[in-house]
């Protein structure tokens, strides 16, 4: 039986790497997309091949629409099919609203929303051409609903991604294509370098999260595999939040119930 194929954008490191591993563990062949992290992407490819699946790295800057079109073309030529697209690639830029420049605005929106939009469009067109009842998964953020300072562009882009999932799901349902999202909160990533300063910061943030810890890239990956599976076959147009309850408290202090 031919294996299904998953394309995970921005999967050379961080959350994307965890997602790529999860799909490989589930028996998918995986296209590892990267922009600048070529060495890390190749390491991920070798790790996935060690799991007995086909894996290849493809460079593409999701902010460049020519790159986006080429990426989907290469997935088709190298793998012969596409069953799952995980739109993980994104950038985070924080700046006070009064200091945000058009350049910063474009940098974030072109990757986090515009690039994701057209990557989804090209992938969906391929799925329709193949007759594949595929799945498109957007990696969003709990910033789409929660409010943190200096994140007007980033948060608005993620809110747009959540809304896009709903409208895409409506348009693509007649083709048998589902669209779902995952909105992680604080997640252990490459910036968690093990230094004392970073460790203290993580401990401080974790103390304010009801579940008391950060999410892991592996957990996001396992959620993505579930959403792509038949077990989630009646789910479309929805985004699930994976933030350990970080958005739940209005105000919290240990020992204080209100």
């Amino acid at each position: 039986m031919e294996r299904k194929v998953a394309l995970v954008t921005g999967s050379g490191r961080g959350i994307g790497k965890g997602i790529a591993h999860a799909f490989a563990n589930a028996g998918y062949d995986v296209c590892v997309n990267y922009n600048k992290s070529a060495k890390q992407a190749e390491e991920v490819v070798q790790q996935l091949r060690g799991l007995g699946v086909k894996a290849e790295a493809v460079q593409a800057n999701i902010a460049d629409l020519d790159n986006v079109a080429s990426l989907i073309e290469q997935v088709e030529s190298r793998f012969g099919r596409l069953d799952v697209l995980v739109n993980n690639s994104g950038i985070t830029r924080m700046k006070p609203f009064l200091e945000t420049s058009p350049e910063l605005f474009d940098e974030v929106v072109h990757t986090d929303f515009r690039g994701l939009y057209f990557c989804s469009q090209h992938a969906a067109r391929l799925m329709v051409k193949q007759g594949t009842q595929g799945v498109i998964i957007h990696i969003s953020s709990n910033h789409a609903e929660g409010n943190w300072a200096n994140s007007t562009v980033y948060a608005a882009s993620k809110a747009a991604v959540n809304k896009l999932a709903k409208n895409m799901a409506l348009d693509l349902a007649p083709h048998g294509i589902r669209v779902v999202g995952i909105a992680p909160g604080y997640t252990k990533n490459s910036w968690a370098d093990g230094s004392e300063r970073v460790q203290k910061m993580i401990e401080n943030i974790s103390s304010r999260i009801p579940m008391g810890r950060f999410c892991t890239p592996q957990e996001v990956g396992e959620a993505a595999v579930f959403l792509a599976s038949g077990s989630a076959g009646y789910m479309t147009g929805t985004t699930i939040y994976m933030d350990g309850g970080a958005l739940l408290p209005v105000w919290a202090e240990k020992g204080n119930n209100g």
Side-chain angles (χ1 to χ4, degrees), residues 129-194:
K129 184 177 80 170
Q130 296 173 157
T132 301
Q133 293 191 337
V135 182
I136 297 175
I137 302 172
H138 301 325
I139 303 302
S140 178
S141 167
N142 66 349
H143 273 259
E145 186 172 332
N147 302 295
W148 283 263
N150 305 327
S151 59
T152 54
V153 181
Y154 177 74
S157 295
K158 294 304 184 181
V161 166
N162 287 6
K163 184 63 171 70
L164 175 63
K166 296 177 183 294
N167 287 84
M168 276 180 58
L170 184 63
D171 282 7
L172 294 176
H175 301 285
I177 299 172
R178 295 190 295 111
V179 184
V180 287
I182 301 173
Y186 289 105
T187 305
K188 289 183 178 178
N189 250 328
S190 55
W191 61 269
D193 57 15

Side-chain angles (χ1 to χ4, degrees), residues 38-90:
K39 181 180 179 181
Q40 295 98 315
E42 189 55 42
E43 289 174 353
V44 173
V45 164
Q46 295 305 319
Q47 292 164 2
L48 301 190
R49 288 175 179 171
L51 297 172
V53 302
K54 179 179 180 179
E56 293 194 31
V58 177
Q59 192 279 333
N61 178 4
I62 300 302
D64 185 321
L65 298 189
D66 289 335
N67 278 206
V68 168
S70 175
L71 171 61
I72 303 303
E73 289 171 359
Q74 289 191 64
V75 170
E76 182 178 18
S77 64
R78 295 190 189 194
F79 291 88
R81 62 184 292 160
L82 178 61
D83 299 272
V84 178
L85 165 65
V86 183
N87 285 307
N88 168 73
S89 183

Side-chain angles (χ1 to χ4, degrees), residues 95-102 104:
K95 201 77 171 177
F97 173 69
L98 295 177
E99 299 174 18
T100 297
S101 66
L104 184 147

Side-chain angles (χ1 to χ4, degrees), residues 223-246:
V225 169
F226 165 73
L227 290 174
S229 73
S231 296
Y234 204 57
M235 294 177 65
T236 194
T238 190
T239 298
I240 62 171
Y241 279 73
M242 294 186 66
D243 67 353

